[in-house]
């Protein structure tokens, strides 16, 4: 076993996984898995820059994670940054802050790399199951982008497009600093049209309709699973590998898009940081299912974070102590 740490810093959240990994057996044993909503992508679509308050929230989470990594004595750390930091003019400020706190430089990866990690993390446990037909279509609905990957044991095609729960919310539902509560029919229609254009782009590269099993990742999808199951609180074990029929995805999405902030916040499994963006994320999933003709989505709690951890654990990467006394 190699003890590894992986950090995934996206547009909406920053997540940490510390795990013991055995590349020979394919076993990944979680020691600590946590998430903080930092909204790093706040306003990026409009301003092209990372906001000072967003950077402050992200750096505070990094300091928390540094303490956890040191406590567990991880041998290797990989920090991957996705959509928001790819888009920002002042991403160097973000890189310097992370380097100062964690001693490693964040890798601002491409959308294609993001898709590869997501596919590995989501499907490593599924490839041996005979109740799930291949190829898989893995969709990772993030805050700023959505990754599409088709493959079986290996990736056949991948594409990242700039449509996510935060980006769609800010682009279509925010006016004078306030989120529509609830969205109007015109706003929802505008958001849906934007998503459809993104799906057209994805389909230029990825044969979406050739997949036989749809696997959905990230907070929008897992939250929909929790709502579908009427869980009294967020329960990763109940959510992981659950299935949501298309009819329920549509029903829940329609309710979310006509509900108020207070009604969504009252859902016991809803993270406070997702209340304003969950409707947009749900609409992205519904649109994908309609495009590919999926009758259900298989929900995975294992995603890009697990893929990052596996990339660190590979023997070819070697082992070395973490800098700044973290290891």
């Amino acid at each position: 076993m190699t003890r590894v740490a992986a950090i995934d810093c996206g547009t909406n959240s920053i997540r940490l996984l510390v795990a013991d990994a055995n590349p020979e057996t394919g076993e990944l044993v979680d020691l600590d898995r946590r998430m903080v909503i930092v909204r790093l992508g706040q306003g990026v679509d409009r301003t092209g820059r990372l906001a000072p308050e967003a950077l402050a929230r992200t750096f505070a989470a990094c300091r928390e994670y540094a303490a956890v990594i040191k406590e567990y004595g991880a041998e290797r750390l990989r920090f991957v940054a996705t959509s928001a930091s790819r888009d920002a003019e002042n991403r160097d400020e973000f890189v310097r802050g992370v380097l100062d706190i964690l001693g490693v430089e964040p890798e601002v990866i491409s959308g294609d790399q993001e898709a590869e990690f997501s596919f590995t993390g989501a499907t490593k446990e599924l490839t041996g199951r005979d109740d799930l037909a291949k190829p898989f279509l893995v969709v990772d609905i993030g805050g700023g982008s959505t990754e599409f990957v088709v493959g079986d044991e290996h990736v056949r095609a991948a594409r990242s497009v700039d449509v996510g729960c935060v980006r769609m919310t800010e682009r279509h539902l925010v006016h004078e600093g306030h989120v529509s509560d609830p969205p109007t029919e015109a706003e929802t229609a505008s958001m849906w049209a934007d998503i459809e254009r993104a799906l057209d782009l994805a389909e230029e590269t990825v044969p979406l309709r050739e997949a036989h099993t749809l696997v959905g990742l990230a907070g929008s999808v897992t939250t929909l699973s929790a709502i579908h199951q009427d869980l009294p609180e967020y329960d990763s074990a109940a959510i992981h590998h659950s299935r949501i029929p298309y009819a329920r995805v549509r029903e829940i999405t329609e309710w979310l898009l006509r509900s108020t902030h207070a009604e969504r916040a009252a859902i016991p499994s809803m993270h406070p940081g997702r209340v304003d963006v969950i409707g947009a994320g749900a609409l992205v999933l519904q649109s994908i299912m309609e495009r590919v003709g999926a009758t259900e989505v298989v929900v995975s709690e294992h995603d890009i974070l697990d893929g990052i951890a596996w990339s660190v654990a590979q023997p070819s990467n070697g082992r070395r102590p973490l800098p700044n006394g973290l290891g």
Side-chain angles (χ1 to χ4, degrees):
M1 288 286 192
T2 302
R3 184 156 294 182
V4 299
I7 294 176
D8 166 38
C9 185
T11 303
N12 196 44
S13 64
I14 182 169
R15 300 181 302 144
L16 168 70
L17 171 62
V18 181
D20 285 332
N22 187 334
E24 293 183 4
T25 64
E27 184 180 14
L28 190 69
V29 180
D30 288 15
L31 300 174
D32 198 300
R33 188 187 290 260
R34 60 181 69 192
M35 183 263 297
V36 179
I37 300 281
V38 294
R39 198 66 64 83
L40 178 63
Q42 173 191 334
V44 166
D45 194 53
R46 177 176 52 84
T47 67
R49 296 181 62 82
L50 299 169
E53 59 270 30
L55 286 169
R57 292 191 297 266
T58 303
F59 294 154
C62 287
R63 285 187 282 271
E64 173 191 327
Y65 289 177
V68 174
I69 293 166
K70 183 174 182 179
E71 176 187 350
Y72 281 101
E75 299 172 47
R76 299 290 306 274
L77 165 64
R78 189 170 190 177
F79 187 118
V80 166
T82 54
S83 181
S85 50
R86 271 203 307 270
D87 301 339
E89 295 173 4
N90 60 334
R91 61 187 179 190
D92 288 347
E93 185 179 349
F94 165 69
V95 171
R96 286 195 302 271
V98 171
L99 184 58
D100 287 345
I101 297 166
L102 287 162
V104 295
E105 192 168 306
E107 299 175 53
V108 183
I109 63 173
S110 69
D112 286 345
Q113 288 175 299
E114 194 173 340
E116 292 270 0
F117 284 143
S118 294
F119 186 81
T120 300
T123 63
K124 203 168 184 70
E125 296 174 312
L126 302 178
T127 52
R129 289 178 51 168
D130 51 16
D131 62 324
L132 297 176
K134 299 172 187 175
F136 301 117
L137 169 60
V138 174
V139 293
D140 187 342
I141 303 172
S145 62
T146 295
E147 283 62 56
F148 297 84
V149 196
V150 165
D152 24 58
E153 281 79 10
H154 303 287
V155 172
R156 293 188 191 174
R159 180 75 179 262
S160 176
V161 294
D162 286 338
V163 56
C165 60
V166 174
R167 193 184 296 271
M168 291 298 95
T169 300
E170 292 190 346
R171 185 177 292 175
H172 299 281
L173 307 183
V174 176
H175 306 281
E176 298 181 355
H178 299 285
V179 180
S180 297
D181 188 32
T184 66
E185 288 186 10
E187 289 169 338
T188 298
S190 174
M191 186 162 54
W192 177 83
D194 207 355
I195 295 166
E196 287 296 304
R197 285 190 292 270
L199 291 177
D200 290 341
L201 287 175
E203 207 160 15
E204 290 176 1
T205 308
V206 181
L208 302 180
R209 301 168 206 255
E210 291 182 12
H212 296 301
T213 298
L214 175 65
V215 183
L217 316 183
S220 293
V221 181
T222 59
T223 300
L224 257 66
S225 174
I227 296 171
H228 166 59
Q229 297 181 69
D230 198 22
L231 297 178
E233 60 184 10
Y234 192 94
D235 183 346
S236 292
I239 290 167
H240 189 47
H241 291 171
S242 61
R243 304 185 187 198
I244 320 174
Y246 164 75
R248 279 291 284 156
V249 169
R250 181 170 181 171
E251 180 184 0
I252 294 167
T253 300
E254 289 176 349
W255 182 86
L256 289 170
L257 289 171
R258 66 173 183 265
S259 64
T260 64
H261 177 98
E263 288 171 331
R264 295 189 300 276
I267 299 170
S269 56
M270 180 74 69
H271 190 289
R274 296 203 186 280
V275 174
D276 286 333
V277 300
I278 185 62
L283 186 60
V284 173
L285 177 61
Q286 179 186 324
S287 300
I288 292 168
M289 294 184 77
E290 291 172 351
R291 176 65 65 101
V292 305
T295 58
E296 67 175 8
V297 57
V298 178
V299 181
S300 179
E301 283 275 12
H302 292 181
D303 50 28
I304 187 174
L305 196 58
D306 301 77
I308 296 165
W310 279 117
S311 76
V312 181
Q314 296 307 312
S316 59
N317 285 330
R319 299 183 185 182
R320 56 180 172 78
L322 287 167
N324 292 351
L326 288 175

